[in-house]
Amino acid sequence: MADTYILGIESSCDETAAAVVRSGEQVISNVVSSQVKVHQPYGGVVPELASREHLRNIVPVVREALEKAGKTYESVDALAVTRGPGLAGALLVGVSFAKAIGFATGKPLIAVNHLEGHIHAVLLEHKQSGGVGIEFPVLALVVSGGHTHLFLAEQFAGDGGQPGAAVPHWTYRNIGRTRDDAAGEAFDKVAKLLGLGYPGGPMVDRLARHGDPKAVKFPGSQIKGKDRAVREGRAAQTEFDFSFSGIKTAVLRYVETHHMQGSISERQRKLATLENRKFEDVLAACDRETLDLVASFQRRVVLDLLEKTLDAARACEVRTLFITGGVAANSELRETFEREAAQQGLPVYFPSRPLSTDNAAMIAAAAYPKWLAKEFAPADLSAEAALQLR
Ligand code: KG4
Ligand code: ZN
């Protein structure tokens, strides 16, 4: 089969990204422009600022991805864009841009669900490193700043309307989701609370190695009854749901009862004076109590993710685990899942770190089966902030 080059575009949250991927299995270029510096002073993503930055960055980012791949708008086979879920204004920038390019060049446009993108990042990584033969069903834990979901994924071979052709068709069933905060959000909020900067995940990850994860005993998450969305019929109750607001509140309570506010303010003041703050600066500004608290928090979150995922894997008799999304970059999470899944005889796959966090290569890769099936977006495609994956 001839090689297919897809230009992927992603703008669902705070990264403007574009990439060219060959036949869903080889990253040719992958450009990510992060807005971290813009949102840092606010300790979280500000939607209006995100849209403005996407508008500013989308043309140079897409141009760079094409140049690095030695491609032009005319020489790629198709365009792929994140339709949702994400911030409405941010998504709109990518969708409008991709539609305009599609209209001007006549190239087909493929709409991709961001969560499906994260799942296909794992497959892309696997194919790129020469791996073959994933066994289905797959249980995918998508764990990021905006999402914590368990999807049961199956792949069926169809012919995509071309008799004799083998066109993989994916189906997804959402069997678990967070009832409140996403895991990455908990990392970010706890880091903010402790004066460690934004985004919190990568910093907590590195600091946790210097603390004792057994120092503070946090209970595992407890989910009592139905939440509001379920009661009002806006969401289905799922058996393997997560909750991370409890651990966040427990950290806050610990800070209060151990009178840590003074040392947190002191750290914030010290770090604010540094122009190019390095990890070593933050580490030096943390006392033992903070490092132990950070390590204990991370251990609890990782164990909650692990326990729920393994319960679901057993109940659904899956053959393979995929762990993906920004939090999948976490070292303790990777080590723990690798060790525990191996004990259960379950193969577990992660994307490389650059493919774990938001990027457009995963969008171009997820678009490839849709290209084969000729599943193109309608001319009136619009962004959908609350798009579900099915
Ligand atoms: O997938 P992503 O780039 O964006 C969303 O779709 O949300 O994920 C970003 C999230 C942030 O919350 C960030 O703190 C978290 O992923 N993150 C990490 C690590 N790297 C990024 N969390 C824990 N450990 C990490 N190493
Ligand atoms: Zn994401």
Side-chain angles (χ1 to χ4, degrees):
M1 198 182 292
D3 284 339
T4 302
Y5 291 87
I6 299 183
L7 168 65
I9 297 172
E10 151 69 36
S11 71
S12 67
C13 189
D14 61 342
E15 333 270 3
T16 317
V20 175
V21 174
R22 177 168 51 74
S23 305
E25 59 182 28
Q26 184 74 44
V27 180
I28 309 298
S29 66
N30 188 18
V31 178
V32 180
S33 166
S34 166
Q35 302 177 3
V36 161
K37 289 231 146 42
V38 175
H39 302 289
Q40 220 153 33
Y42 307 95
V45 179
V46 183
E48 290 78 7
L49 294 184
S51 312
R52 194 190 69 188
E53 288 303 303
H54 284 307
L55 271 176
R56 216 201 295 265
N57 294 329
I58 193 135
V59 173
V61 163
V62 173
R63 219 173 255 165
E64 190 184 337
L66 285 170
E67 266 166 29
K68 283 192 166 154
K71 291 279 170 194
T72 61
Y73 288 125
E74 283 71 30
S75 67
V76 294
D77 297 289
L79 310 163
V81 68
T82 305
R83 181 183 177 205
L87 302 169
L91 287 164
L92 258 179
V93 177
V95 169
S96 313
F97 183 80
K99 277 169 72 176
I101 299 298
F103 186 69
T105 60
K107 298 287 171 186
L109 176 60
I110 299 162
V112 175
N113 184 307
H114 181 80
L115 302 172
E116 186 172 21
H118 275 302
I119 293 171
H120 280 258
V122 183
L123 208 64
L124 173 60
E125 186 74 49
H126 180 67
K127 286 182 179 165
Q128 209 162 230
S129 48
V132 285
I134 294 280
E135 289 200 51
F136 288 86
V138 165
L139 180 65
L141 171 66
V142 183
V143 63
S144 72
H147 312 280
T148 306
H149 286 288
L150 279 171
F151 288 104
L152 199 54
E154 297 262 18
Q155 193 197 48
F156 300 97
D159 65 6
Q162 311 160 60
V167 176
H169 174 71
W170 286 71
T171 61
Y172 306 92
R173 191 151 67 86
N174 191 191
I175 60 163
R177 62 181 171 80
T178 181
R179 294 283 191 92
D180 36 59
D181 291 351
E185 197 179 349
F187 271 93
D188 294 337
K189 286 179 176 169
V190 162
K192 186 176 178 183
L193 168 71
L194 297 176
L196 304 172
Y198 170 84
M203 186 53 76
V204 168
D205 187 353
R206 296 184 70 183
L207 290 173
R209 289 173 220 164
H210 298 267
D212 175 6
K214 297 198 182 104
V216 186
K217 304 265 175 290
F218 289 121
S221 70
Q222 307 249 326
I223 297 176
K224 295 189 199 98
K226 293 178 177 176
D227 61 17
R228 196 162 156 209
V230 171
R231 279 198 309 273
E232 292 175 359
R234 287 182 283 115
Q237 175 148 26
T238 51
E239 199 179 335
F240 303 104
D241 283 350
F242 301 93
S243 168
F244 294 104
S245 70
I247 176 93
K248 182 190 65 188
T249 312
V251 172
L252 174 63
R253 204 159 296 134
Y254 187 93
V255 164
E256 286 167 355
T257 53
H258 290 75
H259 311 290
M260 292 173 73
Q261 286 97 338
S263 69
I264 292 171
S265 305
E266 176 61 28
R267 174 162 50 248
Q268 279 167 326
R269 258 197 307 278
K270 215 187 278 175
L271 294 176
T273 61
L274 305 174
E275 208 154 282
N276 276 322
R277 169 195 310 182
K278 291 193 291 295
F279 168 72
E280 288 70 24
D281 299 322
V282 183
L283 179 61
C286 289
D287 53 14
R288 168 106 341 253
E289 192 174 33
T290 304
L291 293 171
D292 286 349
L293 180 58
V294 161
S296 305
F297 158 77
Q298 178 173 285
R299 170 67 55 90
R300 191 61 258 166
V301 173
V302 167
L303 289 180
D304 275 354
L305 290 168
L306 177 83
E307 284 157 13
K308 227 21 102 44
T309 304
L310 290 184
D311 280 354
R314 270 188 296 270
C316 301
E317 298 182 352
V318 302
R319 308 286 290 271
T320 304
L321 282 183
F322 280 11
I323 317 293
T324 186
V327 181
N330 186 273
S331 329
E332 185 174 359
L333 181 134
R334 285 181 177 242
E335 286 156 20
T336 311
F337 268 88
E338 259 158 14
R339 190 182 60 238
E340 299 297 322
Q343 274 196 3
Q344 314 259 331
L346 259 182
V348 57
Y349 298 97
F350 299 88
S352 60
R353 281 187 170 78
L355 291 182
S356 294
T357 47
D358 285 353
N359 66 86
M362 67 186 198
I363 302 304
Y368 183 63
K370 299 183 199 299
W371 156 266
L372 293 175
K374 297 194 167 32
E375 228 180 283
F376 301 129
D380 63 349
L381 174 73
S382 59
E384 212 175 303
L387 186 65
Q388 308 261 331
L389 178 59
R390 296 197 173 90

